[in-house]
């Protein structure tokens, strides 16, 4: 079997398709990330000169996105199962673990948890302010992905995906489920016309688009709309949902409270101890892999840790995760920092291998 053309930019390197083919590299900042993704997911190593003369079709590009989402979902759910299993094993008499136990104790990040589980805009009580915040949220994403049709925004809002990090985990299979959900909620949309405003066709157009507003029971996304949703997912996956919430002003109040909080007298010393503890923790579990080296290099140093003192005298720390563009809250237990919350969060980026030792 031979390549379909002499020019490698005229066909997809990964399936030989010549339909909707484009150069693999666009000259943008995401090029290296795509090359790493190909190496990680399909075990193909592309040298710089090879990547520059490589093309990819739209289908394979979307397959890569779906593979990445699938792997991330598997890793996330596997970590949940492992934590449960390991938690059960650690309570047995013949086992103990050579790492700190991870729990949901005092340093669980209640603020961040509420953002991920509930509507991140629910703190905006005024209707006008809430609408402006929603507009700002979508405008922030549009800056990265281009124009987003109104009915796509409303569909993602109605089905609950835009409200948290699940917006970054939508796959083509998920899109099929969203379409089915929208077909099943026609009655709900039409029965809510009074609160939504506008006449029947206008409301249906807002949720089902111009093509299916007169036949919403047959609703499905057009091909270009599917690409738009996958682009939104890719942007959220790369930048983190909290970056867009921040741009929309959702996290502004929290930042203002942080800036207004007092620094303890020994803030610099506490910050150094906090950064040292997380670095020391992962040094104990270091290995020679390239993945661990990259992960360790992204751990927060002193410049990425903030220490504040609440009104009740409690000392808290915020550690910045460069993967998610968010801060994880940690607390102090006596004279030492409790970093369980940060370590637990980092399991989704690099999972520390747990070592078990039998008691003698």
């Amino acid at each position: 079997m031979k390549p379909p053309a002499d020019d490698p930019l005229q066909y997809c390197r990964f399936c030989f398709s010549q339909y909707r083919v484009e150069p693999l590299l666009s000259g943008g900042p995401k090029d290296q990330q795509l090359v790493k993704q190909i190496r990680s997911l399909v075990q193909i190593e592309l040298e710089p000169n090879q990547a520059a003369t490589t093309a990819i079709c739209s289908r394979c590009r979307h397959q890569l996105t779906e593979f990445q989402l699938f792997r991330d979902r598997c890793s996330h759910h596997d970590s949940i199962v492992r934590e449960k299993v390991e938690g059960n094993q650690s309570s047995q008499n013949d086992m103990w673990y050579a790492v700190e136990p991870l729990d949901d104790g005092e340093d669980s990040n209640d603020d961040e948890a509420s953002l991920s589980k509930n509507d991140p805009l629910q703190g905006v009580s005024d209707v006008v302010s809430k609408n402006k915040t929603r507009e700002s949220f979508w405008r922030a994403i549009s800056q990265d992905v281009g124009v987003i049709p109104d009915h796509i925004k409303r569909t993602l809002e109605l089905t609950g995906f835009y409200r948290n990090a699940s917006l970054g985990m939508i796959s083509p299979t998920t899109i099929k489920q969203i379409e089915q959900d929208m077909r099943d909620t026609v009655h709900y949309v039409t029965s809510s016309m009074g609160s939504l405003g506008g006449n029947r066709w206008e409301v249906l157009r807002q949720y089902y688009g111009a093509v299916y507003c007169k036949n919403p029971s047959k609703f499905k996304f057009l091909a270009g709309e599917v690409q738009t949703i996958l682009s939104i997912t890719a942007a959220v996956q790369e930048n983190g949902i909290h970056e867009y919430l921040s741009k929309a002003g959702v996290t502004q109040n929290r930042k203002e409270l942080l800036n207004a909080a007092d620094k303890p007298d020994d803030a610099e010393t506490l910050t150094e101890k906090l950064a040292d503890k997380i670095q020391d923790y992962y040094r104990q579990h270091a290995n020679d892999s390239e993945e661990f080296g990259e992960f360790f290099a992204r751990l927060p140093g002193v410049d990425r840790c903030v220490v504040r003192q609440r009104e009740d005298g409690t000392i808290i720390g915020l550690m910045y995760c460069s993967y998610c563009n968010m801060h994880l809250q940690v607390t102090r237990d006596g004279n030492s920092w409790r970093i369980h919350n940060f370590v637990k969060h980092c399991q989704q980026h690099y999972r520390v291998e747990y070592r078990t030792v039998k008691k003698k």
Side-chain angles (χ1 to χ4, degrees):
M1 185 176 183
K2 297 189 301 182
D6 293 333
D7 185 355
L9 292 176
Q10 297 300 314
Y11 60 88
C12 175
R13 181 186 180 99
F14 309 101
C15 71
F16 281 4
S17 171
Q18 293 181 283
Y19 176 66
R20 298 183 68 180
V21 172
E22 60 184 8
L24 180 68
L25 305 183
S26 62
K30 299 180 182 180
D31 284 352
Q32 290 306 311
Q33 179 183 348
L34 180 58
V35 172
K36 288 183 178 180
Q37 190 179 46
I38 291 172
R39 180 178 65 227
S40 172
L41 297 178
V42 295
Q43 306 298 307
I44 293 179
E45 185 78 34
L46 293 175
E47 298 297 332
N49 61 326
Q50 293 177 317
T53 58
T54 294
I56 186 172
C57 68
S58 59
R59 181 180 179 184
C60 285
R61 186 181 289 274
H62 297 143
Q63 286 278 22
L64 283 173
T65 300
E66 188 168 6
F67 287 168
Q68 183 70 57
L69 291 171
F70 174 72
R71 190 175 75 168
D72 291 346
R73 285 195 297 270
C74 289
S75 176
H76 173 67
H77 291 105
D78 177 68
S79 67
I80 294 175
V81 174
R82 285 179 180 272
E83 285 171 13
K84 180 175 179 61
V85 172
E86 289 159 359
N88 291 338
Q89 288 179 336
S90 64
S91 64
Q92 298 175 4
N93 293 329
D94 62 340
M95 289 282 195
W96 65 276
Y97 284 89
V99 295
E100 293 179 297
L102 304 181
D103 55 37
D104 290 315
E106 297 174 1
D107 60 346
S108 63
N109 193 347
D110 294 335
D111 292 337
E112 297 295 351
S114 64
L115 283 175
S116 64
K117 293 179 181 178
N118 302 313
D119 185 350
L121 307 179
Q122 65 182 1
V124 187
S125 57
D126 181 75
V127 174
V128 176
S129 297
K130 190 170 184 177
N131 288 337
K132 287 183 178 179
T133 305
R134 290 178 184 274
E135 292 172 2
S136 299
F137 175 78
W138 288 116
R139 188 182 305 116
I141 295 182
S142 296
Q143 291 175 353
D144 290 336
V145 305
V147 177
I148 304 174
D150 288 340
H151 75 280
I152 290 182
K153 300 175 188 176
R154 291 184 178 271
T155 296
L156 294 175
E157 291 173 8
L158 185 62
T159 53
F161 280 91
Y162 103 106
R163 298 183 178 186
N164 51 52
S166 63
L167 186 59
M169 300 184 72
I170 297 177
S171 69
T173 302
T174 312
I175 291 175
K176 294 294 184 183
Q177 183 59 54
I178 294 175
E179 292 173 339
Q180 183 61 52
D181 289 344
M182 290 303 295
R183 291 192 289 267
D184 293 340
T185 55
V186 175
H187 176 71
Y188 169 80
V189 172
T190 55
S191 63
S192 303
M193 285 190 296
S195 59
L196 296 174
N199 58 49
R200 174 184 173 85
W201 302 121
E202 176 60 24
V203 171
L204 289 176
R205 187 190 64 79
Q206 292 176 9
Y207 282 87
Y208 296 93
V211 175
Y212 288 98
C213 65
K214 294 186 177 181
N215 194 11
S217 62
K218 301 291 185 181
F219 172 78
K220 65 178 181 179
F221 292 110
L222 304 179
E225 295 169 350
V226 171
Q227 309 311 323
T228 297
I229 295 174
L230 292 177
S231 296
I232 294 172
T233 289
V236 173
Q237 188 180 43
E238 178 179 353
N239 301 317
I241 189 67
H242 289 273
E243 174 171 326
Y244 298 110
L245 294 175
S246 177
K247 289 180 178 179
V250 177
T251 58
Q252 182 177 0
N253 291 338
R254 187 180 179 193
K255 289 182 178 179
E256 290 176 351
L257 290 174
L258 175 63
N259 293 332
D262 293 331
K263 283 186 178 181
D265 295 335
D266 54 348
E268 292 185 5
T269 301
L270 292 175
T271 302
E272 291 177 359
K273 289 183 177 180
L274 177 57
D276 288 344
K277 181 161 186 177
I278 194 67
Q279 298 272 340
D280 291 342
Y281 175 86
Y282 281 105
R283 284 194 187 97
Q284 295 174 16
H285 307 289
N287 58 54
D288 297 329
S289 70
E290 179 182 351
E291 290 79 6
F292 180 83
E294 293 178 354
F295 168 77
F296 191 85
R298 298 182 69 165
L299 289 175
V302 175
D303 60 327
R304 293 299 182 94
C305 297
V306 179
V307 175
R308 291 290 187 270
Q309 185 172 14
R310 291 172 172 166
E311 292 183 359
D312 61 1
T314 303
I315 303 294
I316 63 169
L318 292 177
M319 305 186 73
Y320 181 76
C321 174
S322 62
Y323 290 93
C324 305
N325 296 319
M326 61 182 285
H327 287 85
L328 278 298
Q329 180 177 303
V330 295
T331 59
R332 285 180 61 78
D333 183 9
N335 294 323
S336 64
W337 284 105
R338 297 185 63 196
I339 60 172
H340 306 159
N341 193 46
F342 183 81
V343 174
K344 189 172 183 178
H345 170 79
C346 285
Q347 299 287 54
Q348 62 182 299
H349 305 304
Y350 185 87
R351 183 166 184 79
V352 170
E353 293 295 331
Y354 286 85
R355 302 191 302 273
T356 61
V357 181
K358 287 189 176 182
K359 285 186 176 181
K360 295 182 180 179

